[in-house]
Amino acid sequence: MSDILIVDDERDIRELISEILRDEGYTTRVAANADEAMNAISADPPALLILDLWLKDSRMDGIGILMAVKREHPGIPVVIISGHGNIEIAVAAIKKGAYDFIEKPFNIDQLMVVIGRAMETSRLRRENTQLRRRDGGPTEMIGLSQAMKLLKSQLAKVTKSNGRVMLTGPSGCGKEMAARFIHAHSNRADAPFVSVSCAAIEPDKMEIVLFGQEGAQGVVQGLLEQANGGVIYLDEVADMPSGTQSKILRVLVDQTFTRVGGNGKVKVDLRVISSTTRDLRAEIAASNFRQELYDRLNVVPIAVPSLEERRDDIPLLAGHFIDHFHQTQGLPKRDLSAEAEAQLQAMGWPGNIRQLRNVIERALILGEGTGPIEARELQGENGQSAGEGRVVLSGVLATLPLREARELFEREYLLTQIHRFGGNISRTATFVGMERSALHRKLKSLGVGTGALGDARSDREQV
């Protein structure tokens, strides 16, 4: 884009500048007063604005237009030109956000140098914006388990609307991935996705980070403004300071806000997706979270399952991480042995997908050769290998007679395998080496009935 808007009340001046710039390959538009200028900017924001400071018979002078442009389109560089120039005026214009100040009559070479630099600034800003809009994170939802099928179905239903979504689930389960999936499959996919970590921002900095700031150094865009046209993702929204909550509520109501230190209203077009690991109703009862904000954000609640609720997906996720680390870090591309796969599916995952990613990365970094990853290589957080060494009995098992201890072990072992295979009795029987009917009888003898398995069942087989 090389479009330049020239605003000057003197026809000869604006046409002269326009002809010079066209000879240099730029596309130009002209405006004679404030109304024409603001209408042209609203219809199609230019890459650069060349603005006369004194505009006769106009409702705003150049400083007024400059302030309006910096408030509504802070990314547009503005070059001020004036035949009444002095140091005070130049300093005032720069403080208000002008890129540069040139006196009339101007030197054409000087004008072209300034315009060239300003256009380069405009180009870099556009590229930075485009990079943010392509920002990376992954959007593929990996998994074939029943829990993931339900999640994907729910996410697909909300991608084409602008409804606000509240994602809930434990830390590390993939809530931001779900938010990015919604964005990537929505009609805002080409617009920005901006993530706000409410827990990571210092409370006294929150409003500047979100709303931006106006001051002697010009205008600084906040994250809400950077997300204009796209999606703002409020991660761990329960950690947002109470004072900011009321201001965010106003943004949700009328999609406008005021920058810190500013007076003018900034209008944005945003879709809001939020997430939390906490019980917001309990936070509301404790007066830590506003009921009105909860009602506005919680239009479509979606629960993101923990990794333990989708154990069937662990081999797929592990394979995905192996491929990822091979491509990004050059780590060996290794398969999982059957024992390692079983070990991963039987482990506890309080850290969810984030923890699984760490376990796989550690196994690849510290691994032994390029063959299949073995169970002994899957180290836990304490550095102990998950698949080797003697079995240490729990306090309960160690105090029981052999027969009772064996029954308790068999019960817990079979329940673990059933959970591992998502409640699929046929697959569990195959893995443990029993006939399906024999497994049914064994479960019955151990006192395991449908009630104990209902939460794990993926194919709704009856025990």
Side-chain angles (χ1 to χ4, degrees):
M1 183 174 70
S2 57
D3 176 39
I4 300 175
L5 177 62
I6 304 155
V7 183
D8 198 302
D9 59 353
E10 296 183 56
R11 179 177 178 179
D12 291 345
I13 295 293
R14 63 178 180 265
E15 290 187 352
L16 172 62
I17 296 175
S18 178
E19 289 174 6
I20 292 172
L21 293 179
R22 286 178 179 173
D23 288 343
E24 295 294 327
Y26 295 109
T27 301
T28 63
R29 289 179 284 160
V30 296
N33 55 52
D35 289 336
E36 289 182 13
M38 296 311 296
N39 289 338
I41 293 168
S42 297
D44 185 14
L48 172 66
L49 177 62
I50 298 176
L51 178 61
D52 186 18
L53 193 61
W54 307 103
L55 298 172
K56 294 179 182 177
D57 303 322
S58 184
R59 66 182 178 87
M60 283 193 295
D61 62 9
I63 291 293
I65 295 174
L66 169 66
M67 293 174 65
V69 169
K70 286 291 138 184
R71 183 171 59 250
E72 298 172 16
H73 304 279
I76 300 176
V78 180
V79 174
I80 296 287
I81 57 175
S82 175
H84 309 276
N86 57 50
I87 294 297
E88 290 77 11
I89 293 175
V91 170
I94 298 299
K95 281 187 175 181
K96 296 295 183 183
Y99 178 80
D100 210 336
F101 181 95
I102 298 177
E103 289 187 71
K104 296 179 186 176
F106 48 78
N107 177 287
I108 292 177
D109 291 336
Q110 179 192 11
L111 177 67
M112 293 310 301
V113 168
V114 172
I115 288 174
R117 290 174 178 169
M119 289 296 286
E120 178 65 10
T121 298
S122 179
R123 182 187 68 80
L124 291 173
R125 285 176 178 170
R126 287 197 311 275
E127 288 183 357
N128 286 338
T129 299
Q130 290 167 358
L131 286 172
R132 281 200 306 268
R133 291 182 176 186
R134 292 198 295 267
D135 168 23
T139 60
E140 183 184 3
M141 302 295 291
I142 298 171
L144 300 174
S145 65
Q146 200 69 12
M148 277 303 291
K149 288 177 181 177
L150 175 60
L151 176 62
K152 289 179 185 178
S153 173
Q154 292 175 323
L155 295 177
K157 291 177 181 177
V158 300
T159 54
K160 302 308 179 186
S161 75
N162 279 318
R164 299 184 194 112
V165 178
M166 172 74 76
L167 300 168
T168 58
S171 178
C173 69
K175 295 186 292 297
E176 181 168 344
M177 180 82 73
R180 289 183 180 277
F181 179 90
I182 295 171
H183 170 252
H185 293 82
S186 73
N187 56 9
R188 296 174 181 260
D190 293 330
F193 177 94
V194 176
S195 180
V196 182
S197 178
C198 298
I201 301 172
E202 296 179 24
D204 60 344
K205 302 281 183 62
M206 178 69 77
E207 292 186 15
I208 292 176
V209 171
L210 286 176
F211 304 117
Q213 188 173 26
E214 295 181 25
Q217 303 302 317
V219 174
V220 177
Q221 284 188 330
L223 295 181
L224 289 173
E225 208 166 342
Q226 293 177 25
N228 187 29
V231 170
I232 187 87
Y233 172 57
L234 303 175
D235 184 30
E236 292 299 345
V237 70
D239 289 299
M240 184 179 289
S242 57
T244 307
Q245 290 178 29
S246 59
K247 295 185 178 181
I248 283 291
L249 182 60
R250 177 52 51 193
V251 176
L252 299 180
V253 171
D254 57 20
Q255 298 267 297
T256 63
F257 60 89
T258 302
R259 299 189 191 98
V260 175
N263 297 311
K265 293 286 187 181
V266 179
K267 188 166 183 62
V268 289
D269 171 25
L270 296 171
R271 181 176 190 180
V272 180
I273 301 175
S274 54
S275 72
T276 183
T277 59
R278 289 163 40 193
D279 182 350
L280 287 185
R281 292 191 180 279
E283 296 296 321
I284 292 168
S287 300
N288 294 328
F289 200 78
R290 292 177 64 98
Q291 178 73 54
E292 304 96 316
L293 181 56
Y294 174 80
D295 293 337
R296 294 277 181 180
L297 293 174
N298 195 47
V299 176
V300 183
I302 295 179
V304 180
S306 67
L307 187 57
E308 293 187 4
E309 294 176 272
R310 42 182 296 219
R311 291 180 181 274
D312 276 9
D313 295 330
I314 289 176
L316 282 174
L317 288 166
H320 167 75
F321 290 136
I322 290 170
D323 288 341
H324 171 77
F325 291 125
H326 174 67
Q327 294 171 10
T328 60
Q329 299 185 29
L331 295 175
K333 187 172 182 179
R334 304 172 64 191
D335 296 325
L336 285 171
S337 69
E339 292 78 9
E341 186 175 304
Q343 180 66 41
L344 290 175
Q345 288 183 294
M347 289 169 63
W349 296 103
N352 292 287
I353 297 174
R354 189 180 297 124
Q355 182 186 357
L356 174 62
R357 175 190 171 105
N358 291 344
V359 167
I360 295 299
E361 183 176 12
R362 186 160 48 238
L364 293 175
I365 292 173
L366 302 177
E368 305 166 4
T370 58
I373 297 173
E374 300 297 338
R376 66 178 180 275
E377 299 179 69
L378 301 175
Q379 293 185 334
E381 296 298 326
N382 59 4
Q384 293 179 341
S385 297
E388 66 179 5
R390 60 186 289 269
V391 176
V392 179
L393 296 179
S394 69
V396 174
L397 281 177
T399 62
L400 294 176
L402 177 59
R403 180 174 178 176
E404 292 179 28
R406 184 176 61 207
E407 288 181 356
L408 181 59
F409 169 78
E410 287 181 342
R411 187 179 190 279
E412 294 305 315
Y413 171 78
L414 292 176
L415 278 174
T416 297
Q417 299 305 335
I418 289 169
H419 279 279
R420 172 190 168 194
F421 292 110
N424 189 311
I425 300 301
S426 297
R427 291 176 60 193
T428 303
T430 300
F431 177 78
V432 301
M434 299 176 68
E435 294 290 336
R436 188 173 183 274
S437 57
L439 177 57
H440 276 290
R441 291 193 296 272
K442 171 60 74 173
L443 292 171
K444 185 176 180 180
S445 71
L446 294 172
V448 179
T450 36
L453 301 175
D455 292 339
R457 200 171 287 128
S458 67
D459 60 355
R460 300 303 181 199
E461 292 188 66
Q462 296 298 313
V463 177

